């Protein structure tokens, strides 16, 4: 097995079959995941039960409350876009599950049907984002925390951007994402803006444009300005971005505590079907 760091962030793992990993190989994969934030595999010949078995080696599966599920395997969330749908799922920088009190460890995404071109996924390192912040911004966020929520995304309302096309129109009746009843029961958590990663012990920036709502102890204008400064730093930090091009048999597994991702929506009129399994996380702290 070989683990090779790729440009920006992440590592490609070659010479393995995820269906038959020895304990030693699996331990090395876990270490690579903690260190690099996202790991990539190519040419994996898997069916749904292989995907589930691989994910379960990392921990308990989170059965998604908001995504449509695979008809036979509720553990698998469908990240799907049909040719007649304009919007995609995850079409903006975000990290999954920051709206939970114990954010998910990560997600394993398997390509099942790809467009002829387009549909790459962007990743950004929140370790490197934190390390490269200007010192004055690092000082400013020291000890601060922020409120995160999924209500505006998964419930109903004008900000429910997952359901809205680029043209601002809803893709009616897609049923792909959202559940207003469950969204209404979410209790919004407060997380430190800089966390100490539970696996690597490294510091990571932990805010994101989809789910972070406000900085605790600031008025709205001050909070919006600070979050905007942090987001601009990540948006423009091209040296800690990686653009992953999917091929049949590709798998990406990202850490939700140390990375952001963004599914590019540049394949209108084509189908893209991905299977995602998310793994439960643990408490996070400063
Ligand atoms: C997601 O945000 O989970 C989807 C990523 C992708 O489809 O590339």
């Amino acid at each position: 097995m070989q683990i090779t760091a790729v440009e920006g962030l992440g590592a490609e793992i070659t010479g393995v079959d995820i269906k038959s990993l020895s304990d030693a190989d699996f331990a090395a994969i876990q270490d690579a995941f903690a260190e690099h934030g996202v790991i990539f595999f190519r040419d994996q010949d898997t069916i749904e039960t292989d995907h589930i078995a691989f994910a379960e080696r990392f921990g308990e599966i989170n059965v998604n409350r908001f995504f449509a599920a695979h008809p036979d395997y509720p553990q698998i969330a469908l990240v799907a876009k049909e040719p007649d749908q304009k919007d995609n799922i995850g079409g903006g920088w975000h990290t999954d599950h920051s709206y939970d009190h114990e954010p998910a460890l990560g997600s394993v995404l398997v390509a099942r049907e790809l467009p002829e071109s387009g549909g790459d996924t962007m990743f950004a390192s929140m370790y490197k984002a934190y390390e490269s912040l200007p010192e004055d911004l690092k000082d400013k966020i020291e000890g601060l925390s922020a409120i995160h929520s999924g209500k505006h995304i998964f419930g109903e309302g004008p900000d429910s951007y997952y359901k809205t096309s680029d043209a601002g129109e809803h893709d009616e009746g897609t049923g792909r994402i959202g559940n207003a009843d469950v969204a209404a029961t979410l209790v919004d958590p407060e997380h430190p803006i800089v966390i100490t990663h539970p696996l690597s012990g490294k510091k990571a920036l932990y805010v994101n444009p989809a789910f972070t709502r406000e900085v605790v102890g600031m008025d709205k204008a001050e909070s919006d300005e600070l979050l905007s400064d942090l987001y601009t730093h990540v948006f423009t930090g091209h040296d800690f971005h990686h653009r992953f091009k999917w091929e049949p048999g590709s798998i990406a597994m990202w850490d939700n505590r140390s990375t952001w991702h963004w599914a590019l929506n540049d394949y209108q009129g084509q189908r893209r079907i991905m299977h995602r399994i998310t793994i439960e996380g643990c408490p996070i702290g400063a």
Side-chain angles (χ1 to χ4, degrees):
M1 181 174 77
Q2 268 210 314
I3 299 173
T4 311
V6 299
E7 198 186 333
L9 75 152
E12 182 156 319
I13 302 184
T14 52
V16 284
D17 178 347
I18 65 145
K19 297 193 293 294
S20 54
L21 294 170
S22 66
D23 287 346
D25 280 352
F26 183 68
I29 289 172
Q30 275 187 305
D31 289 348
F33 174 73
E35 174 68 22
H36 296 279
V38 54
I39 50 178
F40 305 110
F41 301 88
R42 299 284 189 190
D43 303 319
Q44 298 293 313
D45 183 13
T46 60
I47 58 174
E48 284 82 350
T49 47
D50 303 320
H51 185 186
I52 292 168
F54 176 68
E56 278 178 336
R57 291 186 80 163
F58 286 87
E60 191 187 335
I61 290 175
N62 172 285
V63 176
N64 201 289
R65 296 156 287 175
F66 301 112
F67 283 49
H70 186 292
D72 300 322
Y73 300 99
Q75 305 96 316
I76 299 178
L78 298 178
V79 180
K81 185 179 176 214
E82 296 296 339
D84 62 342
Q85 293 173 327
K86 297 262 183 320
D87 61 322
N88 70 337
I89 293 174
W93 281 118
H94 66 287
T95 190
D96 306 326
H97 289 256
S98 75
Y99 50 85
D100 283 335
H101 286 258
E102 295 187 6
L105 173 146
S107 296
V108 184
L109 192 71
V110 175
R112 294 291 177 206
E113 198 173 334
L114 293 168
E116 274 184 18
S117 63
D120 299 349
T121 305
M122 299 293 302
F123 292 93
S125 169
M126 293 304 110
Y127 292 143
K128 292 183 183 176
Y130 176 71
E131 282 160 20
S132 59
L133 276 176
E135 287 305 317
D136 60 332
L137 207 42
K138 270 191 185 160
D139 291 345
K140 202 167 174 182
I141 60 177
E142 171 79 34
L144 291 180
S145 59
I147 304 289
H148 296 243
S149 181
K151 291 181 179 139
H152 58 296
I153 304 277
F154 301 119
E156 277 163 4
D159 289 344
S160 184
Y161 85 99
Y162 277 119
K163 289 188 190 164
T164 309
S165 73
D166 293 343
E169 294 158 358
H170 286 278
D171 281 343
E172 294 296 346
T174 60
R176 286 182 295 170
I177 204 159
N179 184 332
D181 291 342
V182 177
T185 68
L186 290 174
V187 178
D188 296 340
E190 181 177 325
H191 296 303
I193 290 183
V194 181
I195 60 165
T196 299
H197 192 277
L199 296 176
S200 68
K202 293 197 282 189
K203 285 193 183 299
L205 185 64
Y206 194 70
V207 286
N208 72 92
F211 300 116
T212 308
R213 303 302 278 167
E214 64 189 39
V215 178
V216 175
M218 288 186 173
D219 66 30
K220 181 162 168 36
E222 204 185 356
S223 164
D224 286 353
E225 189 183 336
L226 178 55
L227 291 173
S228 165
D229 288 348
L230 295 172
Y231 298 155
T232 300
H233 176 72
V234 182
F235 297 155
T236 56
H238 302 290
D239 53 332
F240 53 83
H241 294 175
H242 183 77
R243 182 173 179 147
F244 184 64
K245 188 165 177 46
W246 295 92
E247 292 164 4
S250 296
I251 298 178
M253 177 176 181
W254 61 83
D255 187 321
N256 281 309
R257 291 84 48 101
S258 66
T259 63
W260 286 2
H261 58 280
W262 164 24
L264 299 179
N265 189 13
D266 56 354
Y267 54 96
Q268 296 300 351
Q270 300 185 68
R271 173 177 285 122
R272 182 176 183 271
I273 308 290
M274 314 294 275
H275 286 180
R276 194 179 96 180
I277 298 183
T278 297
I279 299 143
E280 295 285 11
C282 60
I284 51 172

